[in-house]
Amino acid sequence: MTLSSPRRSALVDQVIAQLRNQITTGEWAVGSRIPTEPELVEQLGVARNTVREAVRALAHNGLLDIRQGSGTYVVATSELAGVMHRRFADADPRHVAELRSTLESSAAKLAAERRTERELKQLDTLLERREEAWASGDREAFVAADATLHLAVVAASHNDVLTELYADLGHLLRDWLRDDVALDMSPEHHMDHSRMVDAIRAGDAETAASEAAAHAFICLPERLAGR
């Protein structure tokens, strides 16, 4: 993993690329703390100032968050995700819900028209995992399972641009869902996604779209009431 040492500006770019790769491949997951500066110096075989400059560049681009006295944490998987997270973190909840509704309904409609048998099996598996997570009462497990199901629906649209955009927004949408999921995970707060998956299976694009669109607004009145 040690890097060669040409002129410094090129070396910093190499370190930035290496650190970005650790993030985009998931080796450093969102929310995790990256190795300390001395550890990175040893791993990369470069000077402390080079590491510091690279980390600051990634923090400026929104991938990392430098927290004094705590460490440096991954907050996004791409520059676009970092920008969107900063830009929309305090956005009007209704606007976020409208964005979710637009993206997810469009994706579900396309998925109903383009999904493969393999993708249908994956959706069934993810839906079951989502229901199991809800039944367990584990809020974090449910948020992760729900987000994974929605991303799979978007991927089944076979629209690469839509899929990448939704993935970049994923952490913001996951934060939104985490806030909306009731702490007691009570039955009245359960959001049934089986009708959406069934519509995708049946090739019913309009029903798939309407079901997906409705999910974004289920908890909106409660959130607005708390503002």
Side-chain angles (χ1 to χ4, degrees), residues 100-101 103-109 111 122-123 126-127 130-131 142-157 162-163 166-167 169-170 173-174 176-177 191-194 196-197 200 208-218:
R100 284 190 62 194
S101 176
L103 293 179
E104 293 178 7
S105 63
S106 296
K109 181 176 182 178
Q122 182 187 30
L123 291 178
L126 294 176
L127 178 62
R130 179 182 183 275
E131 295 305 302
F142 174 76
V143 169
D146 185 83
T148 302
L149 173 62
H150 281 288
L151 184 56
V153 170
V154 177
S157 73
L162 178 58
T163 301
Y166 189 84
L169 276 168
L173 299 180
R174 194 171 296 130
W176 161 275
L177 177 63
M191 297 173 282
D192 181 21
H193 284 17
S194 61
M196 176 182 66
V197 174
I200 292 173
S210 63
E211 285 292 327
H215 297 156
F217 290 94
I218 289 176

Side-chain angles (χ1 to χ4, degrees), residues 170-187:
H171 298 294
L172 174 63
L173 299 180
R174 194 171 296 130
D175 289 343
W176 161 275
L177 177 63
R178 183 178 292 107
D179 289 342
D180 280 344
V181 172
L183 291 175
D184 59 358
M185 303 283 283
S186 54

Side-chain angles (χ1 to χ4, degrees), residues 62 75 80-97 99 168-169 171-177 179 223 227:
V75 293
L80 179 58
V83 169
M84 289 192 292
H85 190 276
R86 291 197 305 270
R87 174 63 181 82
F88 300 129
D90 298 320
D92 186 317
R94 186 175 297 280
H95 295 167
V96 177
L99 175 61
D168 281 333
L169 276 168
H171 298 294
L172 174 63
L173 299 180
R174 194 171 296 130
D175 289 343
W176 161 275
L177 177 63
D179 289 342
R223 176 181 279 252
R227 284 174 67 85

Side-chain angles (χ1 to χ4, degrees), residues 62-77:
L63 276 70
L64 297 176
D65 179 26
I66 302 171
R67 303 173 190 173
Q68 296 299 325
S70 177
T72 300
Y73 294 80
V74 179
V75 293
T77 55

